[in-house]
């Protein structure tokens, strides 16, 4: 049975001047389209980004990122189809 997406968290490291901050920021979305747009913009400006997709119970369904991590699916695969 497919899980329903209830919440999407987008973690990123903002730039401070020419430096990328070591502290991450988390933005939460309930709109899949808003989360995809925000993650794409963060990626396009060259900042690290991780997307965590959660179900209605708050359990992680999947991680996507632009970090080339074996624990994450590639960011380009973040379509909302789980």
């Amino acid at each position: 049975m497919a899980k329903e997406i209830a919440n999407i968290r987008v973690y990123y490291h903002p730039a401070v001047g020419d430096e990328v901050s070591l502290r991450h920021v988390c933005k939460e979305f309930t709109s899949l389209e808003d989360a995809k747009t925000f993650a794409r913009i963060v990626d396009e400006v060259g900042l690290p980004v991780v997307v965590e997709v959660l179900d209605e119970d708050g359990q992680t369904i999947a991680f996507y990122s632009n970090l080339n991590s074996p624990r994450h699916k590639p960011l380009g695969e973040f379509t909302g189809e789980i």
Side-chain angles (χ1 to χ4, degrees):
M1 181 164 81
K3 297 235 180 197
E4 287 291 319
I5 296 173
N7 195 21
I8 302 130
R9 294 180 183 153
V10 179
Y11 302 90
Y12 66 102
H13 293 262
V16 179
D18 290 340
E19 300 291 320
V20 175
S21 172
L22 296 178
R23 297 178 57 94
H24 73 266
V25 175
C26 175
K27 286 188 65 85
E28 293 199 30
F29 297 89
T30 54
S31 163
L32 178 63
E33 288 305 312
D34 290 348
K36 287 188 334 186
T37 299
F38 185 79
R40 181 181 48 78
I41 291 168
V42 172
D43 181 49
E44 286 177 358
V45 298
L47 297 174
V49 62
V50 175
V51 176
E52 180 183 18
V53 180
L54 299 112
D55 68 13
E56 60 275 354
D57 296 323
Q59 299 297 311
T60 300
I61 299 171
F63 280 105
Y64 299 87
S65 78
N66 63 356
L67 303 176
N68 296 323
S69 169
R71 295 181 52 217
H72 304 155
K73 296 177 182 179
L75 188 61
E77 293 180 12
F78 175 50
T79 62
E81 298 294 322
I82 303 296

